[in-house]
Amino acid sequence: MASTAAPGSSTDRWSAELRAHGRRVTKQRLAVLDAVEHSPHAVADDVAAAVRTQLPGISLQSVYVILSDLTDTGMIRRFEPPNSPARYETRVNDNHHHAVCTGCGKIEDVDCAVGHSPCLTPSDSHGMSIQIAEVLYRGLCADCAAKG
Ligand SMILES: [Zn+2]
Ligand SMILES: [Zn+2]
Ligand SMILES: [Zn+2]
């Protein structure tokens, strides 16, 4: 029963979501979702390395294509911290923000204090209907602060 790494319940959930977004359920897509779910805020290279433990032959390019497609469906959220490649996570649709340590680059999730998007009201919307306010917290983590 426990011969494979991916737990059945998670695979079933991802399969249902893929079908709901009109995507075929492939082992490549499932492996990418599994990898991103288990290491939130991973960069594409790290996702590819994790996927290769299950699918040794998959190319980095294929992983990029799948990440980009799944980001389009909304199943994966992509964000780009300053001075870093894009990061991916499966925590979507909750308008959470990120806190980035300017010392070591560590990234933490921060629940949105308001809980819906946009959580900041622009002083002047210039006639646009504003949908998202991108909030990024930057500072020093406790470890970096302790090092002075
Ligand atoms: Zn730090
Ligand atoms: Zn996050
Ligand atoms: Zn917020």
Side-chain angles (χ1 to χ4, degrees), residues 110-126:
V110 180
D111 289 348
C112 179
V114 176
H116 59 77
S117 180
C119 56
L120 290 174
T121 307
S123 58
D124 181 353
S125 65
H126 299 278

Side-chain angles (χ1 to χ4, degrees), residues 35 39 43-56 58-60 63:
S39 64
V43 300
D45 285 1
D46 294 339
V47 175
V51 168
R52 283 197 188 112
T53 65
Q54 295 180 49
L55 304 169
I58 195 166
S59 70
L60 181 59
V63 171

